Amino acid sequence: MSYQDCIQACLECMEQCNRCFDDCLKEDNVNMMAKCIRLNRECADICAFAVQAMQTNSQFTNQICELCAEICEACAEECEKHSNHAQHCQDCAQACYRCAKLCREMAAA
Amino acid sequence: MSYQDCIQACLECMEQCNRCFDDCLKEDNVNMMAKCIRLNRECADICAFAVQAMQTNSQFTNQICELCAEICEACAEECEKHSNHAQHCQDCAQACYRCAKLCREMAAA
Amino acid sequence: MSYQDCIQACLECMEQCNRCFDDCLKEDNVNMMAKCIRLNRECADICAFAVQAMQTNSQFTNQICELCAEICEACAEECEKHSNHAQHCQDCAQACYRCAKLCREMAAA
Amino acid sequence: MSYQDCIQACLECMEQCNRCFDDCLKEDNVNMMAKCIRLNRECADICAFAVQAMQTNSQFTNQICELCAEICEACAEECEKHSNHAQHCQDCAQACYRCAKLCREMAAA
């Protein structure tokens, strides 16, 4: 498993989280998306942090990717609850699960 | 006007924006706070960026503080609309206006 | 000019800056790279900030891209001084100039 | 142990790391400080991340503080190696150790 695959998954996840954050705030019922909005933000931020760690050869890459995987999973689970009616949540859940998987592999490498 | 005063105002503004973000997402009517939530996030992030610039003696301190002031003002104006019923917005508006003022002075220094 | 092109240029610039930061710190003569190390860091950070702004439809996208262009140009100019002997600086300068160009266009849009 | 104490320790650590980063890059022998420069950057970034998590009531506060403690300790140990001749490293080591301690307590809370 290469750094480049994990970086790419983090960047894709960051993008989907940022877009989901934006779209959630435009929903008819924002109350229902409050937890999603929180997790989108945290997930986008930790993905950016993980990318920076991998691109600079941080000695903490494993631990950061471990934390990233955990936050991605929580975000994916929350997004999945809204996947039936919100396409952005469905897209985000998918990107988060994939990123979590690659980050877990990176953390174990 | 000292770096330390501007740093302190940015840190106080960041704290109020982060708390306002959290509190807005717990409001009865989150829809009404959607713009505030967005601006809280951006304002907290640019304040953190400005603090880092000042603490590392960045050559772009003036331009970063200029941008920080602009975002702080937008956040303050939005928060002010909710100041009557939400104490967190009132506190946040106050911290944002103060930070904007000190960042303008720093940018002009 | 599309958001997606500018986001892509910022991500590429962020990657090259992070790699250049890492490589500069491994050079035989780190003293010579001190300014480059500083600018790599700031440039990677503002690129990440600009990406987040574009992906969340920030109302400050223009101003953030304007600032990003300015920092990219400074980083590119510093990297160019080391381009003869350091491939990472040459790659970074190229990515910074391209990002600066697209950010200027975005800021003027 | 209160959130506010841990936030304050993280902010103090972030400041010392940012100042140490700046000062290390001005040293006569930057090569000797390369690892310190890296760790200063990562430590300042994770401290900012931990502050944001605590101020927004993140559900990942414990895990983020755990990671923050680990990075703070690595930074403190590196800074300590230079404490005899560089006051900024001595100050930074002290702030890092204190922050690590409070973050460990927060993570275990």
Side-chain angles (χ1 to χ4, degrees), chain A residues 6-85:
Chain A
C6 190
I7 289 171
Q8 206 46 53
C10 286
L11 289 176
E12 176 63 23
C13 186
M14 182 182 81
E15 173 161 0
Q16 294 303 330
C17 285
N18 279 331
R19 297 201 183 287
C20 195
F21 175 87
D22 180 40
D23 286 335
C24 282
L25 285 165
K26 292 173 184 159
E27 285 283 337
D28 288 341
N29 185 344
V30 187
N31 285 53
M32 215 172 61
M33 315 311 274
K35 199 180 170 192
C36 199
I37 290 165
R38 272 177 202 277
L39 285 165
N40 285 156
R41 182 191 180 163
E42 282 205 278
C43 195
D45 285 349
I46 190 69
C47 283
F49 197 65
V51 167
Q52 185 188 80
M54 287 184 275
Q55 289 178 343
T56 57
N57 277 314
S58 162
Q59 66 177 283
F60 299 103
T61 294
N62 289 15
Q63 295 95 316
I64 293 168
C65 284
E66 181 77 31
L67 176 60
C68 190
E70 198 175 341
I71 298 178
C72 284
E73 276 156 20
C75 191
E77 282 163 28
E78 180 60 27
C79 278
E80 238 176 9
K81 295 180 195 167
H82 312 289
S83 285
N84 282 343
H85 66 92

Side-chain angles (χ1 to χ4, degrees), chain B residues 87-102:
Chain B
Q87 182 65 40
H88 56 86
C89 283
Q90 196 177 317
D91 295 344
C92 193
Q94 202 171 5
C96 287
Y97 276 129
R98 184 173 150 71
C99 186
K101 183 178 172 294
L102 290 184

Side-chain angles (χ1 to χ4, degrees), chain D residues 90-109:
Chain D
Q90 195 179 318
D91 295 343
C92 192
Q94 200 171 7
C96 287
Y97 276 129
R98 183 172 151 71
C99 186
K101 184 178 172 294
L102 289 183
C103 281
R104 288 262 180 240
E105 287 173 31
M106 177 60 74

Side-chain angles (χ1 to χ4, degrees), chain D residues 34-100:
Chain D
K35 199 181 171 191
C36 199
I37 291 165
R38 272 178 201 277
L39 285 165
N40 284 157
R41 180 189 183 164
E42 282 205 275
C43 195
D45 285 349
I46 190 69
C47 283
F49 197 63
V51 167
Q52 186 189 78
M54 287 183 276
Q55 289 178 343
T56 58
N57 277 314
S58 162
Q59 65 178 284
F60 300 103
T61 294
N62 290 14
Q63 296 95 316
I64 292 168
C65 284
E66 181 76 32
L67 177 60
C68 189
E70 198 174 340
I71 297 178
C72 285
E73 277 157 19
C75 191
E77 282 163 27
E78 181 60 27
C79 277
E80 239 177 9
K81 295 179 194 167
H82 312 290
S83 285
N84 281 343
H85 65 91
Q87 182 66 39
H88 56 87
C89 283
Q90 195 179 318
D91 295 343
C92 192
Q94 200 171 7
C96 287
Y97 276 129
R98 183 172 151 71
C99 186

Side-chain angles (χ1 to χ4, degrees), chain C residues 23-38:
Chain C
D23 286 335
C24 281
L25 285 165
K26 292 172 185 160
E27 286 282 336
D28 288 341
N29 185 344
V30 187
N31 285 52
M32 214 173 62
M33 314 311 272
K35 200 180 170 191
C36 200
I37 290 165
R38 270 177 203 277

Side-chain angles (χ1 to χ4, degrees), chain C residues 12-100:
Chain C
E12 176 61 24
C13 186
M14 183 181 81
E15 173 160 1
Q16 294 303 330
C17 284
N18 279 330
R19 296 202 184 286
C20 195
F21 176 87
D22 180 40
D23 286 335
C24 281
L25 285 165
K26 292 172 185 160
E27 286 282 336
D28 288 341
N29 185 344
V30 187
N31 285 52
M32 214 173 62
M33 314 311 272
K35 200 180 170 191
C36 200
I37 290 165
R38 270 177 203 277
L39 285 165
N40 284 156
R41 181 189 182 165
E42 282 205 276
C43 196
D45 285 348
I46 190 70
C47 283
F49 196 65
V51 167
Q52 186 190 79
M54 286 184 276
Q55 288 177 345
T56 57
N57 277 315
S58 161
Q59 65 178 284
F60 299 102
T61 294
N62 290 16
Q63 295 94 316
I64 292 167
C65 284
E66 181 76 32
L67 177 60
C68 189
E70 198 174 341
I71 297 177
C72 284
E73 276 157 18
C75 191
E77 282 164 26
E78 181 60 27
C79 277
E80 238 177 9
K81 294 180 193 167
H82 313 289
S83 284
N84 281 344
H85 66 92
Q87 182 65 41
H88 56 86
C89 282
Q90 195 178 317
D91 295 343
C92 193
Q94 202 171 5
C96 287
Y97 276 128
R98 183 173 151 70
C99 186

